[in-house]
Structure formats: C-alpha cells, structure tokens
Amino acid sequence: MNGERSWLPAALVAVTVPGVLLLLCFGAGRLGLGPLAVAPGPIVTQHEPQKVLLDHSSPKLLKIGVAWSEDGYCSGQFTLSVTETPTEVRVGTVTSRDYPHGTCAGLGSWQGMAWPSVVLADPLGNRAVVRDSDGARLPLYDSPLQLASPLPTNSR
C-alpha cells in the first residue's frame, strides 16, 4: 500500500508548481507587469474650447485652443466637432484620448494651451466662432497671443 502512493507527492508538486506560476503570471499581467500585461485603455478627458487660432494660409483651417497642463500632446490625440451655419461656427467639446503606454512625436503646448485643428467645409469669413456648450463667442487670434484684427463685432 505504501508503494502504491509513493507517486502522490511527486504528482502534487508537478501540478501545483505550474499552477502557482500561471496564477502569478496572470496576476502580474492584471497589474500591468510581465509578458501577459494588458495595456490599459486610453485616458479620456473633455476640454472646453477657449480660443481660436486663425491660419491665414488656409482659410478653412482653425486651431482650437484648450487648457492643457502637459508639456505636449500627440498628433491625432484630440477630436472635436463643429457645426457650421451661414453666420457662425459652433465648436463642441474637445475630447482627448491619451494612451499612457503609447509613444508619439509630441507637439508642443504653449502657455498652458493645446491647439487641435479642424478643417471647415467653407472658409470662416465673417462668421463668429461660438462654444457650443454655452454659446460664448470665442476670441480669434492670429498667433497664440495676438488678437486677430479686426475682431468681427456681429453677435449671434
């Protein structure tokens, strides 16, 4: 009877050791460690448009300034929507998707602002640029610090 159970300790070790190793690998992977690490999804944040930067070389291109505390951002990191009418361009909330373990060439932020771009269907012309969430008219700039002149005076 003793000879019949002599294999039992070896079998328990043969099953337990790989099982514990697998549990450790999966546990480490859930913590973002090791070869089974699962890359976390993007960090999504919403930003309200603050300013509009005009690009006089391309009358359909606008850069929308949003408050940004990081040193830079990635090309394509932001998405935004605009609604165009004959008298105004309404800019919706700007969404940032940051992938913490991704890499990018990084665009420089400047004085606490990031500048995602949007291409309009028609040139801006004399239309006002309005923040969609509250209807506030956004200031137009020729450069990040210089107000565009003349600033259109017509309101909604």
Side-chain angles (χ1 to χ4, degrees):
M1 182 110 174
N2 243 356
E4 293 176 5
R5 293 195 179 173
S6 63
W7 58 269
L8 189 58
L12 285 174
V13 168
V15 170
T16 304
V17 170
V20 168
L21 289 175
L22 274 174
L23 284 174
L24 287 174
C25 285
F26 281 112
R30 298 285 293 165
L31 294 173
L33 305 170
L36 299 177
V38 177
I43 298 169
V44 178
T45 54
Q46 304 290 323
H47 307 274
E48 287 296 322
Q50 303 296 316
K51 299 177 180 180
V52 178
L53 186 58
L54 301 174
D55 184 339
H56 295 289
S57 66
S58 178
K60 292 183 179 182
L61 180 68
L62 297 179
K63 293 183 183 250
I64 307 299
V66 295
W68 190 250
S69 60
E70 304 295 322
D71 287 334
Y73 52 95
C74 297
S75 176
Q77 178 174 338
F78 297 99
T79 56
L80 64 138
S81 63
V82 297
T83 306
E84 297 183 55
T85 71
T87 59
E88 66 185 16
V89 173
R90 297 186 74 82
V91 182
T93 302
V94 178
T95 302
S96 165
R97 285 182 176 76
D98 183 25
Y99 295 86
H101 295 292
T103 59
C104 73
L107 303 171
S109 56
W110 197 74
Q111 292 199 346
M113 301 288 286
W115 298 92
S117 298
V118 63
V119 178
L120 303 175
D122 295 307
L124 180 62
N126 288 328
R127 295 185 289 173
V129 181
V130 177
R131 184 171 41 228
D132 199 34
S133 63
D134 61 2
R137 190 176 181 154
L138 298 175
L140 303 176
Y141 288 81
D142 283 325
S143 72
L145 288 179
Q146 181 179 353
L147 275 171
S149 59
L151 187 64
T153 56
N154 60 342
S155 61
R156 300 193 320 148

